Amino acid sequence: MEFQGRTNILVIPKTPDGSLIIALHGGTGAPASFQSQMMLVDTFVNSHILYAAADDDNNNVWRAGGIYGDGLEDYNYLSDLIDHMIFNYPIYASQVHTLGHSNGCMMNYRLVNKKTSFKFASVTGISGSFLA
């Protein structure tokens, strides 16, 4: 399967409502730090929350297209990961949400625009800040 070989974090709720939130960290970030920053579990207590990992062989940067490559490797990874989650956990395909920050936001848009046979319940993009 395409999604294997990376370390993701999956939060499994005690009383699942059938929803899944896929959270994509920013460039050079990691699932653990994104989890501690976002604290999604405090708000979405009944949702499965998957903090997906960019490839550490690529400095933890999502290949979203443009200067980050064609985006197909990370798209295939995320697409297979979503299918795996729906098949193996009590998750409704109609209740899959995506959230991306910065470079993860760009990958988020790549994912939802390429996986056209799938209807995401919501798509959220959080821009990054620029420090000079």
Side-chain angles (χ1 to χ4, degrees), residues 35-107:
Q35 179 185 22
S36 67
Q37 293 165 352
M38 295 301 294
M39 297 183 294
L40 295 173
V41 72
D42 293 346
T43 303
F44 304 100
V45 295
N46 297 321
S47 296
H48 286 82
I49 304 170
L50 176 66
Y51 295 90
D55 190 351
D56 61 2
D57 289 340
N58 194 42
N59 298 316
N60 295 336
V61 173
W62 294 102
R63 295 175 190 95
I67 63 171
Y68 298 107
D70 65 12
L72 290 178
E73 181 179 339
D74 284 343
Y75 165 76
N76 291 335
Y77 161 73
L78 291 170
S79 181
D80 286 355
L81 188 55
I82 291 168
D83 295 343
H84 173 81
M85 293 296 300
I86 291 170
F87 185 77
N88 291 289
Y89 293 88
I91 294 167
Y92 302 117
S94 62
Q95 289 299 314
V96 176
H97 307 264
T98 64
L99 178 149
H101 171 254
S102 191
N103 172 239
C105 180
M106 295 186 318
M107 190 65 230

